[in-house]
Amino acid sequence: MQIEMSITGKTRLLGIIGNPVEHSISPQLHNTLSKELGVDLAYVPFKVEYGNLEKAINGLKAVNVIGFNVTIPYKEEMARLVDELSEEARLIGAVNTVKSADGKLYGYNTDAEGFSRSFKQETGTGFEDKNIAIVGAGGAARAIAVKIALEGARQIHIINRTFSKAYELAKLIGENPGQTIEAVESGNPRINDILAGSDIIVNTTSIGMHPDKDGYPLGNFLDFSGRQIVYDVIYNPAKTKLLMEAEKRGSKIVNGLGMLLFQGMYAYEIWTGLKIPSDLAGEIQSLFINYLKK
Ligand code: ATR
């Protein structure tokens, strides 16, 4: 027998609160990072029952955790419970990362940065001067739209089944100089032209996610081209019907695993003040691609 030394009296705690949390891969991600970086932190899941969010965060504060992630269904409520909000979290209206320090809770949203880092790393390009179509207008779309607008997209179309939600999101972002943002309802006859004219198409809806593997979020559009990048925030399955159809026609395709991993790595940087080297980020990505194949 050997004394188990991975957790000692000096170990500090991180975690994720949500409901459900059983499916989350954040514990594996953060504990791998701590092991690789030699940081004495442990990350655990906390399933919080409805109505208990305030009690849970007061408890986490009281036991002196370093911070925690927040997932469905508490990201929006969390934005109202922290003491301070980052600019991006305020714009997005949701908090997925909280740092606890000096008796205060600081709320961040790392989804936007996670999307941006994964997109750049996997495509070698950014959003400046691009025409971008975002499908969906929920939480993920908000984070992505806010980010690409801040990073200089020339034209953004937000396409959604419920027009009012697309319109609200377009209004929220506002237009920077030289930029146009337009909300479009899914049934609009212009949609195929808008999609064909986009440099980047991003699906943020759950259409095509396991077990809906035949789901396709772009209506009858199939006119992809070799100059387009198609990004699906879904990572299960690794290749949705959307990504398969786009790939067949020569588009560059990216799934949502990178966004998930990079938002987590950015959260880890916020908590620890460390910068994760890009070779480690790449290794983590390969590791998790293989892990999720099993
Ligand atoms: P998330 O936080 O993951 O973005 P969400 O906030 O529930 O999730 O948003 C889901 C988005 O996908 C919404 O824009 C939703 O469209 P509505 O605004 O019309 O509800 C869209 N969506 C989900 N399922 C859909 C479906 N079967 N057909 C069309 N749109 C769908």
Side-chain angles (χ1 to χ4, degrees):
M1 206 191 335
Q2 256 186 345
I3 296 177
E4 169 54 46
M5 293 297 287
S6 57
I7 294 180
T8 69
K10 294 199 188 77
T11 307
R12 300 284 306 274
L13 198 60
L14 292 168
I16 180 165
I17 57 180
N19 192 352
V21 286
E22 292 85 348
H23 65 283
S24 173
I25 62 165
S26 294
Q28 292 95 312
L29 169 65
H30 292 286
N31 291 321
T32 306
L33 284 170
S34 291
K35 193 169 174 192
E36 283 305 310
L37 294 164
V39 180
D40 195 2
L41 288 170
Y43 185 111
V44 290
F46 299 112
K47 182 173 177 178
V48 174
E49 293 304 333
Y50 299 96
N52 277 350
L53 181 63
E54 255 190 278
K55 263 194 254 169
I57 63 170
N58 284 331
L60 290 173
K61 218 165 133 176
V63 299
N64 201 23
V65 300
I66 297 241
F68 48 93
N69 282 130
V70 184
T71 187
I72 289 168
Y74 299 126
K75 290 188 197 187
E76 285 79 18
E77 198 178 343
M78 199 64 224
R80 295 188 287 275
L81 294 175
V82 293
D83 299 296
E84 284 186 34
L85 270 181
S86 74
E87 177 64 10
E88 267 176 8
R90 188 186 63 74
L91 271 172
I92 297 164
V95 161
N96 76 338
T97 300
V98 177
K99 181 172 170 124
S100 177
D102 323 315
K104 272 186 168 180
L105 296 178
Y106 299 86
Y108 301 84
N109 190 305
T110 65
D111 286 335
E113 179 68 17
F115 171 75
S116 170
R117 286 189 190 183
S118 102
F119 187 91
K120 287 172 193 162
Q121 195 244 10
E122 295 183 62
T123 67
T125 179
F127 310 114
E128 208 173 328
D129 288 328
K130 298 286 194 329
N131 289 349
I132 305 175
I134 298 178
V135 185
R142 257 172 120 89
I144 290 169
V146 163
K147 193 70 177 175
I148 63 180
L150 286 173
E151 294 194 1
R154 184 167 28 143
Q155 202 171 43
I156 303 173
H157 286 101
I158 299 166
I159 301 168
N160 197 43
R161 172 178 63 184
T162 310
F163 177 75
S164 59
K165 279 173 74 179
Y167 181 79
E168 285 306 315
L169 179 51
K171 211 168 69 177
L172 167 95
I173 304 165
E175 286 173 356
N176 299 302
Q179 189 170 63
T180 59
I181 301 177
E182 193 187 345
V184 191
E185 193 171 351
S186 299
N188 189 309
R190 285 173 50 227
I191 284 204
N192 285 3
D193 286 339
I194 291 171
L195 291 170
S198 298
D199 305 304
I200 301 167
I201 300 172
V202 186
N203 173 46
T204 70
T205 75
S206 52
I207 304 170
M209 181 156 62
H210 176 79
D212 173 31
K213 71 174 183 20
D214 294 325
Y216 185 72
L218 305 186
N220 63 6
F221 177 81
L222 282 169
D223 196 13
F224 300 100
S225 74
R227 53 162 202 90
Q228 287 182 309
I229 299 171
V230 179
Y231 193 110
D232 201 330
V233 299
I234 296 169
Y235 60 89
N236 181 17
K239 222 181 257 181
T240 54
K241 179 153 188 226
L242 168 66
L243 295 186
M244 281 191 239
E245 296 294 348
E247 187 178 44
K248 259 195 250 171
R249 293 163 180 85
S251 304
K252 164 103 189 139
I253 61 164
V254 186
N255 75 18
L257 181 61
M259 178 175 175
L260 176 73
L261 297 175
F262 278 94
Q263 68 74 27
M265 290 191 261
Y266 180 44
Y268 194 88
E269 292 180 350
I270 291 172
W271 293 320
T272 61
L274 298 170
K275 174 91 187 89
I276 295 171
S278 59
D279 54 343
L280 177 59
E283 263 182 74
I284 291 270
Q285 218 171 347
S286 318
L287 205 60
F288 276 83
I289 289 170
N290 281 324
Y291 170 64
L292 290 172
K293 266 190 201 146
K294 286 175 197 151

